[in-house]
Amino acid sequence: MNTQSNGGPGVVEEDAVPPPEQPLGSRAPRFIKRSRPLHMSWQVGVFVVGLAVVVTGVIMLPLPGPGWLVIFAGMAIWATEFVWAQLVLRWTKRKVTEAAQKALDPRVRRRNIILTTIGVVVIAVALAVYVWKFGFAMPWNVTE
C-alpha cells in the first residue's frame, strides 16, 4: 500500500521507495578518464584534498567547530573518486536514516523526553545543594 502525500508537514509516505543509488566508481570528467596518467594524477589530487579535509575535521573534534561535519565532507570528496569511500558513505547514510526513523518512534521520543527530564532534575538538585552548601563560590575557591 503506497500512500500519496500532498507534501504537507508531518505527512510520511508509507512504503516509500528510496531513490536509485548512483553507480560506484570514478566521477572524474570523461577527458580525464581517457588518459591513465592524467586519471592517476586526478586521483592523487582528490585523495590529498580529501585527506586534508578529514585531518582538519579530526583536529576540530576536540576544538570548537563542526568536526564530524568536516570529516564527512572529506569522505564525500573521496567518494567522488574511490569506491571504498562511496560504500562507507552509503553505509553511513543508511545508519543515519535508520537512527532518524527510530528517533521518530513515539515510544522512543517519550522515553528520551522522560530521561532528559530526569537528568535535568538531577542536575538542578545537585546545583541547588551546592549553592545551599557553598553559596555562589566557584568550586576551585571553596575552602572546606
Side-chain angles (χ1 to χ4, degrees):
M1 173 173 124
N2 196 355
T3 306
Q4 298 293 325
S5 78
N6 59 4
V11 177
V12 178
E13 291 189 19
E14 295 177 19
D15 301 329
V17 178
E21 294 179 338
Q22 290 185 351
L24 296 173
S26 174
R27 293 191 181 94
R30 191 171 295 141
F31 75 92
I32 289 176
K33 288 182 186 178
R34 285 186 202 145
S35 169
R36 177 104 172 117
L38 188 58
H39 192 222
M40 288 297 287
S41 300
W42 178 269
Q43 286 182 324
V44 168
V46 167
F47 183 80
V48 169
V49 170
L51 183 63
V53 173
V54 168
V55 167
T56 302
V58 170
I59 291 170
M60 292 172 85
L61 286 176
L63 301 173
W68 284 109
L69 184 64
V70 174
I71 290 171
F72 288 126
M75 289 296 297
I77 291 170
W78 279 337
T80 63
E81 205 50 41
F82 303 108
V83 172
W84 61 268
Q86 294 168 3
L87 294 174
V88 168
L89 279 182
R90 284 185 184 180
W91 178 84
T92 304
K93 286 179 186 177
R94 191 169 53 250
K95 291 299 179 184
V96 167
T97 302
E98 289 172 8
Q101 290 299 324
K102 191 174 183 180
L104 292 175
D105 180 14
R107 292 176 300 185
V108 173
R109 288 184 66 204
R110 192 175 320 116
R111 182 200 66 203
N112 290 346
I113 289 171
I114 290 169
L115 289 174
T116 302
T117 303
I118 291 171
V120 167
V121 167
V122 167
I123 290 171
V125 168
L127 188 61
V129 168
Y130 177 85
V131 169
W132 173 70
K133 185 166 176 133
F134 302 109
F136 287 102
M138 290 292 146
W140 49 87
N141 292 336
V142 174
T143 57
E144 286 185 29

